[in-house]
Amino acid sequence: MELKDILAIKKATDSLGEGELKPYLRFILAEIKLMKEQEGTLEAAVAELIELYDELMGLQEKRAVWSPVPTCTHVHIVVGDSFAGSMKQALKGLGCAETHKLITLRENYAIGPLDGLDSPEGRKARSNWFRNNITEAFEAYTEFEEEYNELLDKLEQIPEQAEVIVWTSGNACEQAGMRHALYLLRNKRNSISVNDACAICEELYNRPDAFINYRYSGEIPSDKLRETITRLDGKGKLCAADIARLEREWQVITEQTGTLRIWRDSAVLEVPAEYYDQYLLEKLDDLKPPVGDNGFLKSARLIGEAIGYCEQYIGDSYFEYRLRELIYDGILEIKGVPAAMHFYSIRRKQQRTGKADFQSALLSMSQPNNSENTSS
């Protein structure tokens, strides 16, 4: 399978909301069970799976109806395919899919260079960094450039009467994305509001004895998101001064030259690329590798642990990139092929006694002790 095929599958599955993904998974597992138990013909099961594949991959074209149209009354701008999938499900559930349209910023703004992102040179530099460091990178610069131009086209299509709702939450990815959206909307005269989906959802549903702290909006199930949307009622509307301030903050972010950002003290802060390296090593030391595997641990398990306990939303691809850097630096050693996190295991670099070291040790043992010779 070629990289472009893997990326197309990832794009198709990332765009699914939780309510859409689970039925597909259940169907696939049921078909596998039938094949395993040899119930029915293999040809029939394969045909069912191929039909499911074609339907899933074809959803990308059907989703085009979510782009702004002249008659829409609201346009929701979200960051990330996962949140976009949940938002689509929520709007469908509210029965307002015809009047509420959606624009998705697909970037992970927490990682990779953002310097000059709104210029062709800056976008090319970002694309090159992803291709060189992230296994799930963009296939080519041309595709990345096409996505950026497609985003500009959708923003231009927003009708004057539509209310624009930009969604964000307490992480660098969505906070930087929100500021980028406002910068790109700088010439529009629409009413614009900014709302924190996670904060609203936590206020609605958290109780002292049962609560969830969401790190990014993609974690919110569509049923809770529906209620969040109904509670907006004009909240979060920005004045011209607010918009201008957030636009300037975006320009400051794009002057940063680093490749990792976190959300702290109400600001998107640049931190060193190795910011989480020690955190990863500590998590590795805490985990117990399987018995009989010479201390090697599946990298996917370590990354899952790191994501689960990290207060920031960074994404698994960056943690996997840093694992490979630790391997290159000789701090970790690898078993397997680092094509993707599921294909290799890691452990702390083991100290080995080479042949030369062994011979040197024997030689030193055979020499008389100088202090003893002096005393005699």
Side-chain angles (χ1 to χ4, degrees):
M1 183 181 295
E2 296 184 7
L3 177 60
K4 65 179 182 179
D5 299 318
I6 296 174
L7 292 173
I9 292 172
K10 181 181 183 299
K11 184 176 181 180
T13 54
D14 283 351
S15 65
L16 293 174
E18 181 185 15
E20 295 173 295
L21 188 59
K22 287 183 178 180
Y24 281 110
L25 180 58
R26 284 195 291 266
F27 180 84
I28 292 170
L29 292 177
E31 288 295 323
I32 293 174
K33 184 174 186 294
L34 290 176
M35 288 190 286
K36 185 176 180 180
E37 296 176 353
Q38 297 182 340
E39 295 182 12
T41 65
L42 181 62
E43 291 80 4
V46 170
E48 291 279 0
L49 290 173
I50 290 175
E51 183 178 347
L52 178 66
Y53 170 84
D54 291 338
E55 177 184 340
L56 176 58
M57 300 305 290
L59 284 177
Q60 294 302 313
E61 297 180 3
K62 296 178 182 178
R63 293 177 188 277
V65 299
W66 286 96
S67 297
V69 294
T71 56
C72 68
T73 60
H74 295 75
V75 174
H76 299 262
I77 299 179
V78 302
V79 181
D81 287 322
S82 179
F83 186 35
S86 297
M87 180 63 74
K88 289 171 184 174
Q89 286 294 105
L91 294 174
K92 284 180 180 178
L94 291 170
C96 54
E98 293 301 318
T99 55
H100 287 240
K101 298 302 178 179
L102 189 65
I103 295 176
T104 306
L105 278 63
R106 303 188 62 241
E107 290 293 317
N108 182 351
Y109 291 88
I111 68 173
L114 292 176
D115 185 20
L117 182 65
D118 295 301
S119 69
E121 296 79 13
R123 292 191 291 276
K124 185 174 183 180
R126 180 170 172 82
S127 178
N128 287 339
W129 184 88
F130 270 85
R131 284 205 302 271
N132 292 332
N133 296 285
I134 304 298
T135 54
E136 297 176 348
F138 302 105
E139 181 191 5
Y141 164 66
T142 53
E143 180 181 338
F144 181 53
E145 190 70 5
E146 288 172 3
E147 286 192 354
Y148 182 84
N149 290 328
E150 181 181 332
L151 171 63
L152 295 182
D153 289 340
K154 288 184 177 181
L155 293 172
E156 185 62 30
Q157 292 171 29
I158 298 175
E160 292 183 0
Q161 81 280 358
E163 178 183 345
V164 177
I165 304 169
V166 185
W167 293 90
T168 189
S169 65
N171 58 71
C173 176
E174 291 181 271
Q175 288 289 338
M178 175 266 288
R179 286 160 172 79
H180 189 204
L182 294 177
Y183 173 80
L184 296 176
L185 289 166
R186 62 190 182 279
N187 294 323
K188 304 292 287 186
R189 295 294 178 262
N190 302 71
S191 170
I192 300 176
S193 62
V194 170
N195 287 278
D196 186 327
C198 295
I200 297 173
C201 192
E202 289 170 7
E203 183 180 351
L204 287 174
Y205 293 101
N206 282 359
R207 306 189 307 273
D209 60 333
F211 61 90
I212 298 176
N213 293 324
Y214 296 101
R215 287 172 297 182
Y216 75 108
S217 301
E219 294 178 331
I220 304 174
S222 59
D223 58 336
K224 290 186 176 180
L225 189 57
R226 282 200 303 270
E227 185 65 22
T228 300
I229 296 170
T230 63
R231 298 298 182 96
L232 291 182
D233 193 26
K235 293 180 179 177
K237 187 172 181 179
L238 300 180
C239 65
D242 292 329
I243 296 174
R245 172 179 56 82
L246 292 167
E247 288 176 15
R248 289 194 298 271
E249 290 178 8
W250 166 252
Q251 291 174 310
V252 170
I253 292 171
T254 59
E255 292 171 0
Q256 299 173 355
T257 57
T259 57
L260 179 62
R261 286 158 288 279
I262 63 172
W263 176 247
R264 180 174 293 166
D265 299 328
S266 300
V268 177
L269 303 179
E270 180 182 12
V271 294
E274 64 276 10
Y275 185 80
Y276 283 108
D277 287 8
Q278 187 58 40
Y279 170 73
L280 286 170
L281 292 172
E282 290 172 359
K283 288 299 176 188
L284 176 62
D285 293 340
D286 291 341
L287 293 172
K288 293 182 179 179
V291 177
D293 210 7
N294 293 324
F296 281 98
L297 182 77
K298 285 287 187 183
S299 63
R301 184 185 173 196
L302 173 58
I303 292 170
E305 186 82 0
I307 291 173
Y309 287 93
C310 186
E311 294 181 356
Q312 301 281 334
Y313 170 67
I314 303 298
D316 55 3
S317 60
Y318 191 84
F319 284 133
E320 201 266 331
Y321 152 60
R322 293 312 306 174
L323 279 188
R324 283 185 280 109
E325 290 298 308
L326 290 169
I327 294 168
Y328 300 150
D329 292 341
I331 298 172
L332 298 178
E333 54 186 345
I334 183 174
K335 182 178 73 172
V337 180
M341 70 180 75
H342 300 287
F343 298 146
Y344 66 97
S345 302
I346 41 87
R347 70 179 181 187
R348 286 270 194 171
K349 186 78 171 181
Q350 303 292 300
Q351 296 295 326
R352 295 185 177 89
T353 303
K355 183 178 180 181
D357 295 333
F358 183 65
Q359 290 175 340
S360 177
L362 288 177
L363 181 62
S364 65
M365 291 173 63
S366 66
Q367 298 295 326
N369 189 294
N370 290 335
S371 61
E372 291 179 359
N373 289 340
T374 302
S375 63
S376 62

